């Protein structure tokens, strides 16, 4: 049956992996251009990152995929499927599913910087999936570029031969053609059996208001075509396939059938992305596969916070916006809640803090909503004296301490990968975060795996940021929830001018309460603007004040000069000030800006 | 039609002061540009008079930049263009900003002859260490000398600029600046609290922790002390930052605060003409090659009037929306509200109100 698998020999499925800012998106742009997938005039920078947020932050949030046709030097035309991956620990699972859909990866290394943390972390992730790795040395146009040194480093540290690694400038386009040749020569064609029962890996899904959910798949075995009844193996849900096809750079191209080895999309009038979960296996109802592809995990929100409209009248708009975002984001959850201070809003669940920030920014930008968000929380299990157990993800619902027998909090199994030089600072950080050391392994002479058990509530705020700064970006980090453990927790309350602010309360380990209270009081003091009267800030546990600060009364807020005749500028300044006031929340007599909430939330040690 | 003010922006400076964010370029290397700038000012005066046919000019103000960086010949040419384009009132107030480092000797007489009858003098401080910090090259003796020269030329209406809250300023050092001012017997003082403007040398140094400024509370003390002292020597406060002997208030600046109209010529200059606010881009080359007045919306709205008039001691007089009236009454520690006619109110900020006038105005507009 050799002729049947012939089509596969010209397919290459690959990802591009790199440390942030090493040029991943720019190289992807050039590959699109070179293969004629996008006309130059349609080229916007970083085409694959099509959310504004992605372009601004320079990170890829959702995975994307595109099929490129490439006529190689050997005269054959190849079908190259580029599968883009997100790059943050919150989305590690999504990365692993994208890599699982590939046979190879292009590893970009910056010729001025050499190997960085994400270079290693992503390389190891790719090696875990048995990918063929093609190193590419980028940014050779820069004066500080030293491609020979960086090649040697890649050979020494990662053990990848680099004599044939293309030296390119994705920015100018220099030698980028060599990358395409390398992909064709080095990355193996996909395997798989197109006559076996269908197994297709979902590596992403997006919601489209015309077609419903568009499911991005890599077909591993078998084939799928319009009219088939498909079945999601994890959820058991079945759908009739409406259309299958290839993802082109700027459009969708329907085809008759998707076969083993290929990457493409399926539409089937699926209403929400939660019915087409990343990592799930698609099979056919008529001839189902006996087992699913490995690695599927239901992604559950782990971090919760209250999201409130700054203007109560926007409640319905917020509800609609969340519902729309959820269509495209199976990991986002929300349900209504009310707060004494903030009014009506929603308790939302997220994968992690970056996910939270992204959702918040999208709500504010794409839906033009002004929001107030509360301090994030994990799910605590509180065992009451009567034997009853309550799950708390909102400090406002924390039971009266007198009724609590004991409390439990979620604990993670955390692995930190870093060069050995940083073991000291990393262990210090984990100790500060109540970590329990498990073991440490040398993966290579220059790379250690440090294994800790860390409470989830110690890592949701800023752990990754602090880790990166203490290791100059060289550490990478991954974690999974391992279960619940008993813990000595207290609820810390904030009082402004004597009134408790329910939205600022949070649950914390008692050993850390005093220190945290002092810091929060300081942060609030720095971020609550002076008002017409003096404002005491008190931090309390069960009515006992453990820290205090004061915001002095406002004395000066004046423009000495009137900017010559530029009245408009002055007017705009005052109108901006008025706008700023509108964004503030009234707590009793005190006005608190959103920044104060964010400052407390971002509190670092 | 009502009279109109004329503002000429002179965007040249010998040296750039570390706190200034007004539009300017250095004189050095721009000599050719200066000649072209003068030509452009003349052309624009002729061009802009069209919409203003019958209106008399009763105030003229040369600001900058450093107007005294222009030569006598430059001023003659500009004044001749002004007079051939506009009717200038006999008793018009004509002000030129000067500072002690410029060629005052050669200019003062010419300016007086051209009808200039008021000088706004950029002293900022009489304490030499503070002057140095503010980028002033001359010492306080030179200040006195310059004031003499200006007076000898026949210009007696002099205003001195004093800066509050500058690096290193204390109550003691401020007192010596105030005593210096008293000794000069000038009839007008502008006392500005230093504001850090983005992009200035002070802003950058302060942001990176390399510049220490008096705190908010200290600056408030300095301001209160200044107001008390100047009132004590007969200079009454008529605006947040301005003090004058009776009838020596700046007529030109009062136009801004009274929401009256003015024509501004020069890069970055703003105009309020026939109900419309307009400006030239802050770009000398553009002003020379293709000067264009950019529209900046309607002026004179009730909120604009309120915003501007509240800067004055006489306050705002006019109608108020119910909300604003309620707010105003709740802020009685900072302002007085009087009903002076049916639905017509007079609102006056007191000194504490002046100090937080941004807050109050943003509450009321």
């Amino acid at each position: 049956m050799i002729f049947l698998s012939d089509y596969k020999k010209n397919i290459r499925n690959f990802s591009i992996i790199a440390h942030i800012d090493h040029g991943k998106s720019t190289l992807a742009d050039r590959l699109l251009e070179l293969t004629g997938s996008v006309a130059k005039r349609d080229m916007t920078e970083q085409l694959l990152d099509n959310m504004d947020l992605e372009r601004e932050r320079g990170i890829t949030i959702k995975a994307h995929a595109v099929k490129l046709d490439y006529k190689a030097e050997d005269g054959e035309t190849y079908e190259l499927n580029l599968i883009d991956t997100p790059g943050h620990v919150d989305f590690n699972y999504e990365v692993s599913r994208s890599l699982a859909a590939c046979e190879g990866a292009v590893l970009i290394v910056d010729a001025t910087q050499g190997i960085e943390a994400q270079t290693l972390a992503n390389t190891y992730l790719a090696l875990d999936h048995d990918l063929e790795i093609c190193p590419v040395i980028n940014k050779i146009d820069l004066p500080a570029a030293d491609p020979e040194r960086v090649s040697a480093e890649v050979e020494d540290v990662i053990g990848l031969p680099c004599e044939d690694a293309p030296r390119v400038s994705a920015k100018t386009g220099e030698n980028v053609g060599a990358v395409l040749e390398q992909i064709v020569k080095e990355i193996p064609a996909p395997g798989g059996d197109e006559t076996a029962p269908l197994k297709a890996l979902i590596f992403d899904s997006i919601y489209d208001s015309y077609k419903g959910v568009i499911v991005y798949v890599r077909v591993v075995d078998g084939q799928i075509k319009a009219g088939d009844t498909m079945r999601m193996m994890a959820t058991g849900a079945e759908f009739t396939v409406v259309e299958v096809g290839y993802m082109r750079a700027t459009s969708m191209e329907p085809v008759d059938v998707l076969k083993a080895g290929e990457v493409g999309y399926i539409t089937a009038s699926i209403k929400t992305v939660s019915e087409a979960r990343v990592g799930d296996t698609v099979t056919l109802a008529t001839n189902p596969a006996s087992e699913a592809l490995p690695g599927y995990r239901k992604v559950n929100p782990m971090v919760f916070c209250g999201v409130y409209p700054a203007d109560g009248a926007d409640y319905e708009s917020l509800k609609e916006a969340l519902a729309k975002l959820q269509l495209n984001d199976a990991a986002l959850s929300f349900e209504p809640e009310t707060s004494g201070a903030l009014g009506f809003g929603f308790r939302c669940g997220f994968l992690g803090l970056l996910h939270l920030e992204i959702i918040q920014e999208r709500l504010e930008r794409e839906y033009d909503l002004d929001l107030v968000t509360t301090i994030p929380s994990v799910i605590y299990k509180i065992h009451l004296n009567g034997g009853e157990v309550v799950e708390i993800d909102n400090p406002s619902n924390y039971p009266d301490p007198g009724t609590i027998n004991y409390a439990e909090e979620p604990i993670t199994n955390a692995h930190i990968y870093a060069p050995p030089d940083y073991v000291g600072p990393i262990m210090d950080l984990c100790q500060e975060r109540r970590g329990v050391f498990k073991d440490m392994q040398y993966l290579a002479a220059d790379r250690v795996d440090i294994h800790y058990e860390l409470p989830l509530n110690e890592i949701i705020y800023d752990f990754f940021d602090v880790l990166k700064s203490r290791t100059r970006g060289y550490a990478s980090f991954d974690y999974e929830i391992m279960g619940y453990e008993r813990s000595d927790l207290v609820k810390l309350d904030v009082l402004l001018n004597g009134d408790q602010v329910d939205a600022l309360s949070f649950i914390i380990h008692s050993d850390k309460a005093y220190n945290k209270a002092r810091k929060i009081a300081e942060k609030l003091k720095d971020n609550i603007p002076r008002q017409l009267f003096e404002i005491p800030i008190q931090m309390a546990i069960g009515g006992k004040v453990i820290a205090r600060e004061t915001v002095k009364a406002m004395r000066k807020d004046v423009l000495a000069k009137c900017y010559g005749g530029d009245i408009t500028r002055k007017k705009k300044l005052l109108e901006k000030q008025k706008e700023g006031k509108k964004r503030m929340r009234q707590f009793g007599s005190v006005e608190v800006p959103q920044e104060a909430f964010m400052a407390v939330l971002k509190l670092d040690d | 039609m009502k009279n109109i003010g004329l503002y000429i922006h002179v965007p040249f400076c010998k040296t750039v002061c570390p706190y200034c964010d007004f539009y300017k370029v250095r004189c050095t290397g721009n000599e050719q540009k200066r000649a072209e700038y003068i030509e452009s000012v003349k052309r624009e005066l002729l061009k802009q008079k069209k919409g203003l046919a019958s209106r008399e000019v009763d105030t003229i103000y040369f600001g900058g930049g450093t107007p005294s960086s222009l030569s006598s010949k430059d001023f003659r040419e500009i004044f001749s263009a002004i007079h051939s384009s506009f009717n200038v009132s006999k008793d018009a107030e004509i002000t030129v900003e000067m500072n002690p480092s410029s060629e005052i000797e050669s200019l003062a007489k010419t300016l007086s002859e051209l009808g200039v009858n008021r000088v706004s003098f950029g002293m900022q401080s009489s304490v030499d260490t503070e002057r140095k910090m503010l980028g002033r090259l001359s010492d306080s003796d030179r200040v006195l000398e310059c004031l003499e020269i200006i007076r000898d030329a026949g210009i007696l209406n002099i205003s001195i600029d004093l800066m509050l809250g500058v690096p290193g300023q204390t109550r003691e050092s401020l007192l010596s600046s105030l005593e210096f001012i008293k000794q000069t017997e000038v009839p007008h003082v502008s006392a500005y609290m230093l504001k850090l403007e983005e992009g200035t040398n002070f802003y950058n140094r302060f942001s990176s922790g390399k510049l220490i400024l008096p705190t908010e509370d200290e600056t408030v003390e300095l301001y209160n002390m200044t107001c008390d002292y100047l009132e004590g020597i007969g200079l009454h406060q008529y605006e947040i930052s301005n003090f004058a002997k009776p009838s020596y208030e700046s007529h030109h600046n009062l136009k801004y605060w009274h929401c009256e109209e003015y024509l501004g010529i020069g890069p970055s200059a703003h105009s309020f003409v026939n109900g419309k606010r307009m400006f030239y881009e802050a770009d000398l080359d553009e002003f020379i090659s293709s000067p264009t007045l950019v529209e900046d919306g309607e002026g004179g709205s009730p909120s604009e009037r309120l915003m501007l008039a509240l800067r004055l001691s006489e306050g705002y007089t006019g109608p108020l929306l119910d909300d604003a009236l309620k707010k105003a009454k709740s802020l009685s520690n900072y302002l007085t509200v009087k009903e002076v006619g049916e639905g017509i109110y007079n609102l006056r900020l007191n000194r504490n109100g002046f100090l937080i006038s941004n807050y109050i105005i943003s509450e009321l507009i």
Side-chain angles (χ1 to χ4, degrees):
Chain A
M1 301 277 273
I2 284 182
F3 72 96
L4 259 183
S5 46
D6 237 356
Y7 72 93
K8 280 190 292 205
K9 87 178 180 13
N10 284 10
I11 298 178
R12 299 291 182 271
N13 299 319
F14 70 102
S15 285
I16 304 179
I17 54 181
H19 187 74
I20 187 161
D21 286 341
H22 279 195
K24 185 170 88 164
S25 300
T26 313
L27 181 71
D29 287 352
R30 289 297 93 74
L31 297 183
L32 260 55
E33 259 174 41
L34 260 184
T35 53
S37 303
V38 190
K40 202 131 200 178
R41 62 166 192 282
D42 292 336
M43 198 72 207
T44 50
E45 276 207 11
Q46 305 185 355
L47 193 82
L48 285 180
D49 291 346
N50 50 24
M51 274 195 255
D52 282 350
L53 261 172
E54 295 188 340
R55 268 179 227 148
E56 275 168 32
R57 289 180 171 232
I59 53 169
T60 303
I61 296 161
K62 291 277 285 181
H64 303 278
V66 61
K67 177 168 176 283
L68 317 170
D69 295 328
Y70 173 59
K71 192 157 197 302
E73 283 167 9
D74 61 12
E76 302 246 0
T77 298
Y78 289 86
E79 172 184 334
L80 309 184
N81 292 304
L82 164 56
I83 297 174
D84 202 9
T85 57
H88 188 276
V89 64
D90 278 7
F91 303 103
N92 247 5
Y93 172 71
E94 283 78 358
V95 182
S96 79
R97 295 305 84 203
S98 288
L99 293 178
C102 300
E103 277 74 41
V106 172
L107 170 68
I108 306 180
V109 186
D110 184 320
T112 66
Q113 298 190 328
I115 290 177
E116 299 275 5
Q118 302 295 303
T119 316
L120 285 174
N122 288 318
T123 304
Y124 288 119
L125 210 52
L127 289 173
D128 280 350
H129 289 91
D130 291 326
L131 300 195
E132 183 65 38
I133 297 180
C134 303
V136 169
I137 312 296
N138 189 23
K139 302 200 187 179
I140 55 164
D141 56 306
L142 295 182
D146 189 350
E148 295 319 309
R149 179 184 64 79
V150 169
S151 299
E153 198 176 294
V154 173
E155 292 191 358
D156 290 350
V157 177
I158 308 181
L160 289 172
C162 270
E163 66 267 31
D164 295 332
R167 274 83 165 145
V168 309
S169 164
K171 197 169 133 210
T172 66
E174 184 181 352
N175 204 28
V176 170
V179 177
L180 290 168
E181 280 302 309
Q182 201 76 1
I183 291 167
V184 166
K185 283 193 198 117
E186 299 298 329
I187 295 177
D193 179 356
E194 58 273 27
T195 61
L198 175 69
K199 276 187 192 174
L201 172 68
I202 303 180
F203 62 85
D204 196 11
S205 60
I206 60 160
Y207 181 80
D208 178 282
S209 43
Y210 296 105
K211 299 188 168 183
V213 174
I214 300 171
V215 186
Y216 290 178
V217 295
R218 156 68 195 276
V219 184
V220 176
D221 284 321
Q223 29 191 300
I224 184 166
K225 60 181 188 308
D228 286 346
T229 301
M230 66 193 266
R231 177 187 295 167
M232 306 298 186
M233 293 188 76
T235 62
E238 293 188 358
F239 304 92
T240 304
V241 177
V242 173
E243 183 180 300
V244 299
Y246 301 135
M247 281 80 75
R248 293 296 185 176
T250 54
S251 62
M252 309 290 246
E253 177 190 332
V255 292
D256 294 339
V257 61
L258 283 179
K259 291 183 289 189
E262 290 191 303
V263 172
Y265 71 88
I266 304 170
T267 64
S269 303
I270 304 172
K271 291 202 178 58
T272 73
V273 290
S274 61
E275 294 174 296
R277 290 179 180 270
V278 170
D280 200 353
T281 304
V282 178
T283 191
L284 293 183
T286 46
N287 181 20
S290 54
E291 58 186 39
L293 295 162
Y296 173 72
R297 204 163 86 189
K298 183 168 187 287
V299 182
N300 285 320
M302 293 197 289
V303 176
F304 293 81
C305 78
V307 176
Y308 291 82
D311 179 351
D314 287 337
Y315 176 82
E316 282 300 323
S317 318
L318 175 59
K319 188 174 164 185
E320 274 172 37
L322 282 167
K324 275 188 192 152
L325 288 178
Q326 199 181 40
L327 287 177
N328 231 335
D329 187 344
L332 170 69
S333 72
F334 68 96
E335 58 184 53
E337 75 166 5
T338 50
S339 146
L342 299 174
F344 293 97
F346 296 93
R347 194 77 190 161
C348 298
F350 308 93
L351 292 174
L353 207 61
L354 179 71
H355 189 209
L356 181 161
E357 282 177 28
I358 288 166
I359 296 290
Q360 189 188 345
E361 271 192 63
R362 291 191 64 187
L363 288 169
E364 293 194 328
R365 269 193 217 193
E366 295 170 28
Y367 297 92
D368 199 23
L369 291 163
D370 282 341
L371 302 177
V372 179
T373 53
T374 65
I375 296 170
S377 171
V378 302
I379 303 175
Y380 297 97
K381 288 185 181 166
I382 312 291
H383 295 255
L384 302 177
N385 288 330
E388 194 193 341
V389 183
V390 285
E391 292 199 351
I392 302 288
D393 65 38
N394 182 349
S396 302
N397 302 335
Y398 199 74
D400 179 342
T403 68
I404 297 174
N405 182 4
Y406 66 94
E408 288 183 308
E409 67 175 327
I411 305 293
T412 66
N413 241 326
H415 289 267
I416 297 161
Y417 302 86
D421 295 355
Y422 297 107
V423 167
I426 292 169
M427 291 180 74
D428 287 346
L429 173 63
C430 292
Q431 280 332 117
E432 288 162 23
R433 300 304 177 100
R434 299 190 284 127
V436 176
F437 177 77
K438 298 314 281 184
D439 60 16
M440 181 164 81
Q441 284 179 348
Y442 275 78
L443 301 174
D446 52 4
R447 193 142 180 94
V448 218
D449 167 7
I450 307 164
H451 178 191
Y452 262 89
E453 286 177 12
L454 281 164
L456 180 62
N457 90 344
E458 294 287 343
I459 57 180
I460 56 170
Y461 300 104
D462 59 350
F463 183 83
F464 193 45
D465 291 337
V466 177
L467 178 68
K468 275 190 296 188
S469 76
R470 293 206 193 168
T471 60
R472 296 206 215 139
Y474 271 97
S476 58
F477 166 61
D478 193 11
Y479 63 87
E480 59 188 12
I481 304 284
M482 54 176 274
Y484 275 77
E485 279 181 13
R486 204 166 157 150
S487 178
D488 184 10
L489 302 170
V490 292
K491 179 178 162 227
L492 191 58
D493 294 319
V494 179
L495 289 84
L496 292 179
N497 208 18
D499 296 329
Q500 187 186 322
V501 182
D502 62 354
L504 282 178
S505 296
F506 64 102
I507 298 163
I508 186 170
H509 192 268
S510 65
D511 288 354
K512 311 196 102 188
Y514 176 76
N515 202 12
K516 199 79 161 184
R518 220 164 30 83
K519 281 183 177 147
I520 289 183
E522 276 168 26
K523 276 276 173 182
L524 283 171
K525 180 187 167 218
D526 293 344
N527 284 280
I528 295 177
R530 290 183 172 201
Q531 289 165 38
L532 297 181
F533 47 88
E534 190 173 280
I535 305 163
I537 300 168
Q538 295 162 299
M539 306 293 303
I541 296 173
K544 184 176 166 239
V545 173
I546 59 167
R548 185 195 156 106
E549 289 281 347
T550 306
V551 179
K552 290 207 265 177
M554 179 202 317
R555 305 213 39 207
K556 175 172 155 279
D557 178 16
V558 56
L559 287 178
K561 279 215 186 198
C562 218
Y563 300 116
D566 189 354
I567 306 304
T568 314
R569 175 167 170 195
K570 185 172 159 65
K571 201 164 70 187
K572 279 183 186 150
L573 278 170
L574 289 172
E575 276 162 2
K576 205 172 146 202
Q577 186 164 352
K578 197 180 167 76
E579 276 305 301
K581 270 183 72 86
K582 264 205 241 156
R583 285 181 60 99
M584 293 209 243
R585 275 279 155 187
Q586 192 85 27
F587 293 105
S589 49
V590 183
E591 285 167 334
V592 183
Q594 170 73 350
E595 295 78 58
F597 285 92
M598 294 311 281
V600 171
L601 184 158
K602 288 229 158 180
L603 200 65
D604 42 27
D605 294 86
Chain B
M1 283 300 271
K2 284 194 84 173
N3 293 344
I4 191 162
L6 178 60
Y7 174 80
I8 311 277
H9 188 80
V10 182
F12 300 99
C13 287
K14 264 195 184 150
T15 57
V16 172
C17 301
Y19 52 85
C20 172
D21 86 324
F22 287 102
Y23 178 68
K24 72 264 155 185
V25 300
R26 280 175 200 276
C27 297
T28 329
N30 282 309
E31 291 80 2
Q32 175 62 30
K33 288 259 169 71
R34 204 177 76 184
E36 291 169 359
Y37 158 83
I38 300 287
E39 288 312 307
S40 193
V41 168
K42 283 153 63 181
R43 280 196 307 273
E44 283 305 292
L45 282 165
L46 278 171
K47 194 160 90 193
Q48 301 305 338
K49 75 168 185 187
K50 292 205 182 83
L52 301 166
S54 59
R55 298 177 68 174
E56 222 171 78
V57 170
D58 63 354
T59 67
I60 302 175
Y61 195 106
F62 287 81
T66 311
S68 48
S69 65
L70 297 183
S71 68
S72 296
K73 178 172 164 282
D74 294 335
F75 274 108
R76 278 200 197 93
E77 289 189 25
I78 295 177
F79 270 99
S80 118
I82 291 173
H83 287 291
S84 59
S85 308
F86 296 95
N87 264 330
V88 180
S89 318
K90 286 244 153 16
D91 56 351
E93 175 196 88
I94 305 179
T95 309
V96 175
E97 284 179 355
M98 295 187 122
N99 67 55
S101 60
S102 305
E103 278 66 12
I104 290 213
E105 281 87 345
S106 56
L107 263 183
K109 229 166 159 249
T110 314
L111 291 179
S112 179
E113 283 162 19
L114 287 169
V116 173
N117 50 25
R118 186 171 182 273
V119 162
S120 170
F121 197 75
M123 178 180 84
Q124 317 308 353
S125 167
S126 74
V127 178
D128 289 339
T129 50
E130 289 172 11
R131 293 180 57 74
K132 211 167 262 170
M133 196 73 169
L134 294 169
R136 303 272 133 176
L137 302 174
S138 56
D139 60 18
S140 58
D141 289 343
R142 171 68 181 158
V143 172
L144 285 177
E145 201 176 291
C146 290
L147 292 175
E148 270 318 296
I149 295 165
I150 295 165
R151 284 181 168 134
D152 284 350
I155 304 173
L156 304 178
N157 185 355
I158 299 175
S159 172
I160 285 185
D161 280 354
L162 173 66
M163 213 175 252
L164 305 177
V166 302
Q169 196 171 39
T170 60
R171 288 179 68 90
E172 291 70 36
S173 73
L174 175 61
L175 185 63
S176 56
S177 284
L178 290 168
E179 281 169 347
F180 183 94
I181 287 172
K182 180 185 174 192
Q183 184 198 333
T184 64
E185 296 183 329
V186 292
H188 190 285
V189 171
S190 296
Y192 298 116
M193 282 170 277
L194 173 68
K195 179 163 188 295
L196 292 178
E197 299 286 357
E198 225 169 303
T200 59
N201 168 296
F202 268 16
Y203 180 91
N204 296 333
R205 275 159 63 196
F206 183 77
S207 310
S208 57
K210 288 179 193 141
L211 184 72
I212 296 165
L213 293 171
T215 62
E216 178 173 331
D217 289 349
E218 283 163 357
T219 306
V220 166
E221 294 312 312
L222 298 175
Y223 178 78
N224 283 330
M225 176 178 157
T226 303
C227 295
D228 288 341
Y229 187 95
L230 294 176
E231 292 277 356
I233 60 170
L235 295 165
H236 72 270
Q237 180 170 23
Y238 70 100
E239 195 258 0
I240 291 177
S241 313
N242 284 282
F243 304 81
K245 288 189 178 150
S247 83
Y248 279 90
E249 297 86 0
S250 162
H251 297 291
H252 184 81
N253 286 334
L254 278 170
K255 281 194 193 297
Y256 299 142
W257 302 316
H258 283 151
C259 223
E260 290 167 3
E261 299 201 331
Y262 49 92
L263 172 66
I265 302 285
S268 85
H270 284 251
S271 295
F272 178 33
V273 170
N274 297 328
K276 291 200 163 55
R277 297 209 178 268
M278 292 171 284
F279 63 91
Y280 292 99
E281 294 290 355
D283 182 334
L284 178 60
D285 291 331
E286 186 184 309
F287 180 76
I288 289 169
S289 62
S290 55
T292 323
L293 272 174
V294 184
E295 300 224 352
D296 200 17
E298 303 278 323
S301 67
S303 65
E304 209 175 84
R305 284 175 184 280
L306 182 73
M307 164 187 107
L308 293 165
L310 282 179
R311 297 186 64 87
L312 296 166
S313 300
E314 65 186 39
Y316 165 83
T317 304
L320 276 182
L321 295 173
D322 289 350
D323 274 359
L325 182 63
K326 221 171 102 195
K327 269 270 165 58
K329 284 184 172 160
S330 74
L331 292 164
S332 58
N333 287 342
Y334 304 94
L335 54 79
T336 54
V337 186
K338 265 190 211 143
E339 189 164 8
V340 292
E342 206 183 311
I344 302 293
Y345 298 87
N346 176 247
L347 254 58
R348 285 178 199 215
L349 297 184
N350 60 25
R351 198 187 285 165
N352 285 333
F354 277 155
L355 277 164
I356 59 162
S357 52
N358 283 353
Y359 177 91
I360 292 177
I361 294 167
S362 70
E363 287 280 304
L364 297 180
I365 57 173

